[in-house]
Amino acid sequence: MIPYGRQNITDEDIQAVVEALKSDYLTQGPKIKDFEDAFATYIGCKYAVAVANGTAALHLNALALGVKPGDRVITTPITFAASANCVRYCGGEVVFADIDPETYLLDIKEVRKLLEASPKGTYQGIIPVDFAGRAVDLEAFRTLANEFDCWIIEDSCHSPGGYFFDGNGNKQNCGNGNFADLAIFSFHPVKHIASGEGGMITTNNEELYQKLLMLRTHGIVKSNELFSNSISFSGGVDNYPLWYMEMQELGYNYRITDFQAALGLSQLERANQGLQRRREIAKMYHESFQGLSFIKGQSGVVEGHAYHLYVLEVENRLGLYNYLREHQIYAQIHYIPTHLMPYYRQFGWKEGDMPFAENYYKHCISLPMYPTLTDEQQEFVIRTIIKFYEA
Ligand SMILES: Cc1ncc(COP(=O)(O)O)c(C=O)c1O
């Protein structure tokens, strides 16, 4: 069976988890900070906060940015629903804007149209997604967001190691915090780095960082300088007993465990190797499908693409999907547009609202893409696709 994505667990990974399990901490131990520091270095940002999963990361971001009922936030329909749901968790309104049919990313021109059509202050934020691993031009989004006083959350779940070049020709890593206020990653098994469940928030903003740390653990603070002294002690503010802590906001338990962090850390050490293999696989697909009339579009070979997914647009997608399954190739569809989910239809979203996203969805298929996919397996996938169309 060849899946579309798959984790790669080595003996070193297993050893790292075993060591964490044998240590004094199962959770809230040293591996979490080690993972955060190593991840921040890898991405090139100042702060990283490890959390239970990517969805928790998004929720904490929306909370830290103060999303509240009535706020309006713009995002893409071609993403996992969690990118939009974080706004709903806080009672905000999700406004979808269509994708660019070439890149499949949130179309900045569509976002501008929305922002310009209403008075400033109508929208509070934008959530672009590095869909499939292709980096969003966040410099352009930052300029637009500044014009309209919006914050930006970059959903980088698909793009650790991805990058784009800014207007000065500088390489900008996905999630590096130079343009977005906050960025998020997921460590679900099909992602580049797997920790079972797990997520990371990255930022360069110290105030948001402190807030995220607090919200991750019930809204509790434990350091003297952050106390508001809600209970007075005879010794005064400099003499808090060691057990003292304050719950200052309504937070959550969105912590990751130490053994998951140990696994994530061990996986991170091989992240560049995995990325390189993903790029090789993408190149091979690209070269094999060039010039074939039944393939309408493809991810191609794009500099800075992290290739979480390798997406094709094809004729007779359902036929191909079923044919591949008959041959034990489990391709996947990413994504059914979020605005057409029953939950979002209740807000009035319907077919025809996002023509490019809906057309993309009719034809898209994600081919097997993971570092341990062998050349033989990939050749079999390519041969089977070509055979289907030639029959
Ligand atoms: C684009 C995107 N955003 C958010 C998430 C949510 O991450 P998680 O599954 O870790 O909660 C995912 C993962 O499935 C995703 O692909």
Side-chain angles (χ1 to χ4, degrees), residues 311-326:
V311 176
L312 292 183
E313 283 184 83
V314 294
E315 297 297 349
N316 188 7
R317 189 262 311 272
L318 178 62
L320 176 64
Y321 175 86
N322 288 335
Y323 185 78
L324 290 176
R325 280 178 84 91
E326 281 165 27

Side-chain angles (χ1 to χ4, degrees), residues 100-137:
D100 175 331
E102 292 296 313
T103 63
Y104 312 144
L105 303 177
L106 178 63
D107 188 342
I108 193 165
K109 296 188 293 306
E110 293 298 315
V111 178
R112 178 173 278 286
K113 261 194 239 163
L114 275 174
L115 292 170
E116 286 180 347
S118 308
K120 203 167 163 175
T122 303
Y123 297 93
Q124 279 64 45
I126 309 170
I127 307 181
V129 179
D130 300 317
F131 169 68
R134 186 167 183 152
V136 168
D137 180 350

Side-chain angles (χ1 to χ4, degrees), residues 4 52-58 78-84 129-132 155-158 184-191 196-200 308-309 334-335:
Y4 85 91
N53 53 64
T55 306
L58 282 160
I78 297 298
T79 182
F80 186 58
S83 313
V129 179
D130 300 317
F131 169 68
D155 184 333
S156 321
C157 280
H158 296 183
I184 68 120
F185 296 86
S186 162
F187 306 129
H188 177 275
V190 293
K191 301 294 195 293
E197 298 285 353
M200 192 74 82
H308 163 55
L309 303 174
H334 298 95
Y335 288 97

Side-chain angles (χ1 to χ4, degrees), residues 90-370:
C90 299
E93 185 186 330
V94 179
V95 180
F96 295 99
D98 210 347
I99 59 164
D100 175 331
E102 292 296 313
T103 63
Y104 312 144
L105 303 177
L106 178 63
D107 188 342
I108 193 165
K109 296 188 293 306
E110 293 298 315
V111 178
R112 178 173 278 286
K113 261 194 239 163
L114 275 174
L115 292 170
E116 286 180 347
S118 308
K120 203 167 163 175
T122 303
Y123 297 93
Q124 279 64 45
I126 309 170
I127 307 181
V129 179
D130 300 317
F131 169 68
R134 186 167 183 152
V136 168
D137 180 350
L138 278 178
E139 187 181 37
F141 269 99
R142 181 79 264 169
T143 306
L144 179 62
N146 285 351
E147 263 182 67
F148 290 89
D149 294 337
C150 288
W151 48 253
I152 298 175
I153 297 173
E154 178 186 7
D155 184 333
S156 321
C157 280
H158 296 183
S159 62
Y163 59 87
F164 71 99
F165 288 99
D166 66 17
N168 295 320
N170 295 319
K171 191 171 155 186
Q172 299 287 346
N173 290 343
C174 295
N176 72 2
N178 286 346
F179 301 107
D181 297 271
L182 295 163
I184 68 120
F185 296 86
S186 162
F187 306 129
H188 177 275
V190 293
K191 301 294 195 293
H192 292 61
I193 295 163
S195 66
E197 298 285 353
M200 192 74 82
I201 305 167
T202 54
T203 185
N204 289 339
N205 181 319
E206 180 169 13
E207 203 182 316
L208 289 173
Y209 172 63
Q210 293 298 345
K211 196 151 195 185
L212 290 164
L213 290 179
M214 175 171 69
L215 291 169
R216 173 177 68 176
T217 302
H218 307 283
I220 287 172
V221 294
K222 285 187 176 165
S223 63
N224 283 16
E225 62 273 18
L226 297 173
F227 291 154
S228 63
N229 195 24
S230 62
I231 302 169
S232 40
F233 290 100
S234 55
V237 289
D238 293 331
N239 229 345
Y240 289 103
L242 287 176
W243 70 75
Y244 189 68
M245 55 83 167
E246 287 179 356
M247 187 201 125
Q248 296 185 339
E249 295 215 19
L250 187 63
Y252 294 79
N253 176 355
Y254 278 164
R255 295 185 299 255
I256 194 169
T257 64
D258 249 45
F259 51 95
Q260 286 172 307
L263 178 54
L265 193 56
S266 178
Q267 293 251 312
L268 182 59
E269 283 171 22
R270 296 196 310 281
N272 280 335
Q273 240 172 286
L275 196 58
Q276 197 188 329
R277 176 70 188 134
R278 285 174 186 273
R279 289 182 173 143
E280 276 168 23
I281 293 169
K283 188 161 175 281
M284 173 64 104
Y285 278 138
H286 179 67
E287 287 168 0
S288 307
F289 295 134
Q290 254 183 347
L292 299 180
S293 59
F294 42 82
I295 292 173
K296 300 200 326 184
Q298 56 173 306
S299 302
V301 178
V302 177
E303 163 122 43
H305 202 306
Y307 292 107
H308 163 55
L309 303 174
Y310 191 87
V311 176
L312 292 183
E313 283 184 83
V314 294
E315 297 297 349
N316 188 7
R317 189 262 311 272
L318 178 62
L320 176 64
Y321 175 86
N322 288 335
Y323 185 78
L324 290 176
R325 280 178 84 91
E326 281 165 27
H327 292 80
Q328 300 299 307
I329 298 166
Y330 286 73
Q332 196 38 292
I333 306 305
H334 298 95
Y335 288 97
I336 300 171
T338 310
H339 71 289
L340 297 181
M341 290 290 166
Y343 175 79
Y344 281 100
R345 283 178 190 260
Q346 70 176 306
F347 303 107
W349 297 102
K350 57 184 184 322
E351 272 92 356
D353 286 346
M354 303 284 129
F356 286 125
E358 291 165 32
N359 183 58
Y360 162 79
Y361 165 61
K362 281 189 193 134
H363 299 284
C364 68
I365 188 160
S366 306
L367 303 186
M369 168 57 85
Y370 48 93

